Amino acid sequence: MDASVDRIARPWGSRTPYGRHEPWPTRVDTFLEEGVDQRAVQRWVQAASILHSDGDAMDIAVMDGRMVGVRGRALDRVNHGRLGPKDLFGWQANASADRLTRPLVRRDGRLVECDWDTAMERITGRSRELLDERGPGSIGFYTTGQLYLEEYYTLAVLARAGIGTNHLDGNTRLCTSTAAEALKESFGCDGQPGSYDDIDHADVIALFGHNIAETQPVQWMRILDRLEGADPPRLVCVDPRPTQVARRAAVHLAPRVGTNVALLNALLHEIIRTDRVDHHYIEAHTVGFDELASRVKDCTPDWAAGICDVPAARIGEAAEILGTADRLLSTVLQGVYQSHQATAAAVQINNLHLIRGMLGRPGAGILQMNGQPTAQNTRECGANGDLPGFRNWQNDSHVADLAKVWNVEPETIPHYAPPTHAMQMFRYAEQGSIRMLWISGTNPAVSLPELSRIRSILSQERLFVVVQDLFLTETAQLADVVLPAATWGEKTGTFTNADRTVHLSDKAVDPPGEARPDLDIFLDYAARMDFRDKDGGPLITWRDPQSAFEAWKRCSAGRPCDYTGLTYDRLRGGTGIQWPCNAEAPDGTGRLYTDGIDRAHPDVCESYGKDLVTGATQEVVEYRSLNPDGKAMIKAAGYLPPHEAPDDEYPFQLTTGRTLYHFHTRTKTGRAPQLNAAAPDVWVEAAGSDAAGLGLKEGDLVEVTTPRGAVRGRLRVTDIRPGLLFVPFHYGYWDTKAGHAPDGDTPARAANETTVTDWDPVSKQPLFKTAAAALRRVEHADGNTAPAPTTTASAPNRTDAVPATTGGPSALAAQSADAGRDHRKEGTA
Amino acid sequence: MNGVDLVLRALHHGEQHLAKELTTVAERHRTDHEVHHVATDLAHWSREHAQRLADTGQDRGPHLGNPPTDHSPGLLSAMREKAAQALGHRPEPALLLLRDLRDLHLAAAQNSLYWEMLAQAAQATRDDDLLALVSACHPQTLRQMRWTNTMIKNLSPQVLSSL
C-alpha cells in the first residue's frame, strides 16, 4: 500500500482486498495541514463526518486551539479507519475568513451586525406578535440534515409543544423522506433493516439509482476491496450515467429517467415467473403477494424495454442475477428517491427482498440510504414530518405517550394532520399564512426546485425570515435576522448514520467570534419564550448536549429507535453503536427483522400507510383489516408516465445530482481548496451522439433551458445515456459577484433554476431528476474544457479530450495498514 | 333500455364529468403543485373508466357516445393557468381549492355509488363481464375519493385558521 496518495486523483485510495465473510481490513487515512507532523499534534478529538450519510468516524487533530487535520478511527465499525475526500479536506472550511461571527439584523433594507440580545429579541418579539395575532400556524421551522440529535430533539419539542405548530421539517425532505416512507410502507416503521456489514457477506449487490462511489466513497472502497478479494460479489447497477459503479457492474441498466417502476415491475415479473421466490417466507411474514403477482403479470421485459429504453435481454440478465442470489444486498438512493414515482419504486425494491426472503441475515439486507448525514436523526426526533420516537400521529395512544414524556396535554401537540412537509411550508409562506420561517443550517435558495420562485417567497416583505448558519449563504442574504452558528468540531453531540450507527462528535476548538452551537440558540429561544409544561414548569429542562441526550433517551425508551442503552461515556473511545440499544440489546442491533417483521402491528406501527399513487392516507380500520397480524406489506404499484416529457421545444430529459467533490450547497466543500479545485464550477453532461447531432464539442459554453429557467455551463461529453443531460446540483452564487442570484455578469449556474416543482405524493420528496430541457451553444470552447472531474461519472468519453483531475502535493493524504496510533494522546476535549 | 343501461349511461356521464373537473382543478391550481400533478394523473383514470363504459355500452346496445379525444390545452385552460400564477401569492385561492376538492370528492362519491349499483346488478344477473369492469374500475374511484378527503384533511387546518 502506498504511504501517501493524492486523494483528489485517487479518491478511493489504495486497495486492501478481502474475501467473502472476512472482516474488512483496516486502513487508516490521515490528512494534516502542511508542515504539521503527526507527533506534534497536541490532542486528537473524537468526531465523525457530517459530509455524507456514512458518518465515517475520525479524530480531529488540534494544535494551539485550532484544527490542523483529521485521521480515520481504525476501530470504528463503519469505516475501519478510512476517510473519503470530503472527510479529508472538508474540515478546512471551518476556519474560513468569511465565517459569520456576529448576529445580523436587517435595518433599512441592509443586514447589519448586532449583539445576540438584539437579534434574539427581534425573533422572540415577532414570534409573540404572530402567536397573538395569527396563532401557531403562522410560524414554521425548516431545518437541515446536518445538526446533531440533541439539537433536532430540542427543536422538535420547542416547535411542537412550545409554539404548537405543525410546520417543522428538515431539508432531509429532499434526500431521505422516500427512504423513510418506503420503510414505513413495507415494514410499518422507519429504521434501516440492513447493515453496512452486509457488504462483507453479499454475493450480489444491487445499487438502484445509487452512485455510491461518489455519495458514500468509503463504502465504495469496501465494495472495491471485495471486488479484488476472493469470491467477489456481482454488482447490478441501475443508473443512466456511466458511474464508477456502472463500470464495475455485471449488469448495468441505464433506463430512461422516470421509469423506475416499470423496470422494477419487470424484474419482479421475471423473478415471480421463474418462481425464484421464497414461498415459506412470504407465507410466514408478509401480506399482499397475490396482488403483486397479478399486478406484474403482464410487465414482461419486452413491455418494460419499450418504456425504459433498456434491452429486454439486459433486464432478463439482471433478474437472473437478482433471482439466483444467495445473499442479496440492495441499496437505494436519489436516482429512485428524487425521481418520478419515488416511493412506489423504493417499495418495489423492498418487495424484491420480501418475496426472496432476503432479510435479517448477514449479506441479505436492504439499505434505503440517506443523502444527508444526520437525516436519520431528523426522522427519529420528529423534525422531519414525523412525531418523535417513530410515533404515529394517527394513533392517539402514541400521542398521549409523547405528551406524557413532555408533560403536556395531548392537544398541545398538533396531530390533526400529518406534520407539514417542506414544500407545503413554502407554499403556505407564498400564500401568506406562514409569516415567520426559521431556517437552520440549510440553504433553500440553492437547494429547492425552481429557484426564482423560492427567492420570490423568501424576499416577501410580509415573511419574517430567520437564518441560522455558518456563512452568509444565498438564503441568509435574504433573511431578516441571521444567527452565526457553530458547527462540527466546535460543539458536542451525537448523530446517527444510514445504518443506525450512533456516533459521538466532540468539541475540538472554539467557534469563531460570537458564533454559538445550534443547541444553545434553540435553548436561548425557548427560555426567552418561557415555554411551560402543563404544571407550569419549564417545558425544556436540559441545558447542554449531554442532558439533552438523556432527555432524548427518555423519549426513545421502548420505541423502535431505543437509545436507552447508550451514554456519552459508552460512545467515547470506541466504535459507534447501532440502535436499538437497550437492556435487551446492550451492544446495539446489527440487523432488524432477524426473526420476522415485528414493528408493523396496528398498535405499534409508525404509519398506517398511504396510497402509492395518490398519497392518500389510510385509516386504522383499513390497516387493521389488511394487516391484522402486523406482517410486512407487499405493495404493488402500476407505472405512470412522468409528468414532464420531452417535446419539440424541450427535446432532452434533464437530471441533476451530487458529485464526488461537493456536498450540499458547497458552503463547506466550496471553501476547502482541494475540493473546490477539483470541481470549481457547474458543467453540463451530454452523450457523444447528442453532442455530435448539435455540433457541440467538449468545453463549449452551453445553456440548458426548461420552462422554469436556464443554467449555463461548459459541456462535458460522456457516455451518459443518449437523450439525457446531467447538471451537478447546488452550485450557487455566494462565490460570484451577484451574491445570491444570477445577475448582470453572473450567469445562472444553479441547476435548480431549471428543475420542476413537483414531488412524490407519498413521501413529498421533490423530483430533481425528471425535467424536460433544451440545449444550445452560447460560445465555442476556444480551448476551454468543462470543469468536471475525470475521476467520476463525469469522465469524458474520449480519454484524450481533457487533462486528468489531480490534486497535486496539497492533496496528498497518508494511509497506513496498521493503526499507527499514539495512545498517549488519544483523548477528548 | 333496462335499468343497468340507465346506470351505465349515468356513470359514463359521471366519469366524463369527473375527468373534466379534475383537469380543470389541475389547471386552476397550477401553483398548488401536488394538487396539479395528482389531479392530472387521476383524470386519466376517469377517462379510462369512461372509455371502458363506452365500450361496454357499445357491446350491450345503447350508444353512450365517445369521450372527447382532444385533451390538448385550449384557450380557457391557458387562462386558468395564468390566473393561478397571478394569484399565487394570495390566500384566497386556498379557500377556493378547498371548495374544488369538496366538489371533486362529491363527484367521485356519486360515481362510486353508481359503481356499487352496477356491481349489485351484475351479481344479481350473473353478468361476469360487467362484474369484471366494476372490479377493475371501482377501486380507483374509491382512491380518488380518499385522495380528495386526505387533501381536505391536510389543508383545512391551515387554510381555515389563517383567514
Side-chain angles (χ1 to χ4, degrees), chain A residues 134 137 167 416 418 424 427-428 430-431 433 453 456 460 462 611 613-614 616-617 619 622 640 643 757-759 764, chain B residues 31-34 37-38 41-42 45 88-91 93-94 143 146-147 149-150 153-155 157-159 161-162:
Chain A
R134 307 184 69 91
H167 313 316
Y416 36 76
Q424 190 63 45
R427 176 66 183 140
Y428 287 153
E430 184 174 41
Q431 289 190 316
S433 66
R453 171 175 179 255
S456 90
Q460 291 173 100
R462 68 185 170 198
D611 187 302
V613 169
T614 67
T617 42
E619 301 294 326
E622 213 176 334
L640 286 177
H643 295 142
T757 305
D758 185 7
W759 55 84
K764 318 298 182 190
Chain B
T31 43
D32 277 287
H33 301 83
E34 183 170 340
H37 289 292
V38 177
D41 284 342
L42 297 193
W45 286 355
H89 281 277
R90 298 190 52 81
R143 290 166 77 188
R146 285 200 197 102
W147 174 69
N149 192 64
T150 292
K153 186 169 181 178
N154 293 358
L155 294 171
Q158 183 75 6
V159 172
S161 69
S162 67

Side-chain angles (χ1 to χ4, degrees), chain A residues 555-596:
Chain A
C555 185
S556 77
R559 300 300 307 156
C561 51
D562 194 328
Y563 278 66
T564 49
L566 295 173
T567 61
Y568 272 25
D569 282 346
R570 278 200 71 192
L571 292 169
R572 272 204 185 99
T575 173
I577 299 172
Q578 288 167 285
W579 63 248
C581 179
N582 51 20
E584 292 80 57
D587 296 321
T589 306
R591 289 174 191 82
L592 306 181
Y593 310 132
T594 47
D595 302 315

Side-chain angles (χ1 to χ4, degrees), chain A residues 1-5 14 813-816:
Chain A
M1 185 157 40
D2 300 335
S4 161
V5 169
S14 298
Q815 51 177 29
S816 59

Side-chain angles (χ1 to χ4, degrees), chain A residues 288-601:
Chain A
F289 175 71
D290 292 342
E291 201 204 323
L292 178 74
S294 84
R295 186 70 65 97
V296 301
K297 193 161 178 290
D298 300 322
C299 301
T300 62
D302 279 332
W303 166 83
I307 293 168
C308 308
D309 188 27
V310 169
R314 231 16 55 74
I315 298 174
E317 282 170 42
E320 169 90 19
I321 293 177
L322 297 171
T324 55
D326 164 44
R327 305 275 170 121
L328 171 66
L329 171 64
S330 291
T331 74
V332 195
L333 200 62
Q334 308 308 1
V336 172
Y337 300 159
Q338 290 177 344
S339 193
H340 177 60
Q341 291 195 284
T343 307
V347 162
Q348 300 319 306
I349 296 159
N350 293 341
N351 288 345
L352 170 64
H353 282 257
L354 289 169
I355 67 172
R356 292 226 57 230
M358 288 286 168
L359 269 174
R361 291 175 289 138
I366 306 168
L367 293 167
Q368 298 276 0
M369 291 287 184
N370 302 340
Q372 289 268 84
T374 71
Q376 191 63 51
N377 302 111
T378 63
R379 283 147 64 177
E380 295 155 13
C381 299
N384 184 28
D386 295 301
L387 293 185
F390 296 156
R391 287 174 174 86
N392 186 342
W393 66 270
Q394 288 173 286
N395 186 328
D396 285 344
S397 72
H398 286 197
V399 177
D401 180 50
L402 183 64
K404 211 166 124 197
V405 174
W406 290 349
N407 195 34
V408 298
E409 299 295 344
E411 307 82 70
T412 311
I413 305 167
H415 61 283
Y416 36 76
T420 315
H421 62 90
M423 301 304 293
Q424 190 63 45
M425 276 167 48
F426 276 82
R427 176 66 183 140
Y428 287 153
E430 184 174 41
Q431 289 190 316
S433 66
I434 285 183
R435 293 289 173 103
M436 170 173 158
L437 200 51
W438 185 330
I439 300 167
S440 44
T442 188
N443 194 5
V446 179
S447 59
L448 288 183
E450 207 176 337
L451 291 182
S452 57
R453 171 175 179 255
I454 300 303
R455 286 189 291 262
S456 90
I457 293 171
L458 292 172
S459 317
Q460 291 173 100
E461 190 66 32
R462 68 185 170 198
L463 181 68
F464 182 77
V465 178
V466 179
V467 170
Q468 175 175 324
D469 214 318
L470 316 185
F471 297 98
L472 196 64
T473 61
E474 289 84 345
T475 306
Q477 293 177 43
L478 300 170
D480 296 284
V481 179
V482 180
L483 304 175
T487 185
W488 176 89
E490 300 164 354
K491 60 181 187 177
T492 293
T494 56
F495 44 87
T496 307
N497 76 354
D499 85 343
R500 295 175 281 104
T501 306
V502 185
H503 283 117
L504 178 72
S505 194
D506 262 316
K507 177 178 170 177
V509 300
D510 286 327
E514 295 175 24
R516 288 184 183 172
D518 299 273
L519 179 65
D520 292 6
I521 298 171
F522 293 144
L523 290 175
D524 184 18
Y525 177 71
R528 287 172 193 263
M529 292 297 288
D530 198 27
F531 295 131
R532 297 279 159 179
D533 66 14
K534 68 178 179 186
D535 298 325
L539 174 68
I540 293 173
T541 52
W542 48 94
R543 299 184 315 275
D544 56 18
Q546 190 154 354
S547 52
F549 186 76
E550 292 299 318
W552 162 249
K553 281 164 64 177
R554 290 192 290 280
C555 185
S556 77
R559 300 300 307 156
C561 51
D562 194 328
Y563 278 66
T564 49
L566 295 173
T567 61
Y568 272 25
D569 282 346
R570 278 200 71 192
L571 292 169
R572 272 204 185 99
T575 173
I577 299 172
Q578 288 167 285
W579 63 248
C581 179
N582 51 20
E584 292 80 57
D587 296 321
T589 306
R591 289 174 191 82
L592 306 181
Y593 310 132
T594 47
D595 302 315
I597 311 305
D598 54 5
R599 298 162 168 214
H601 190 275

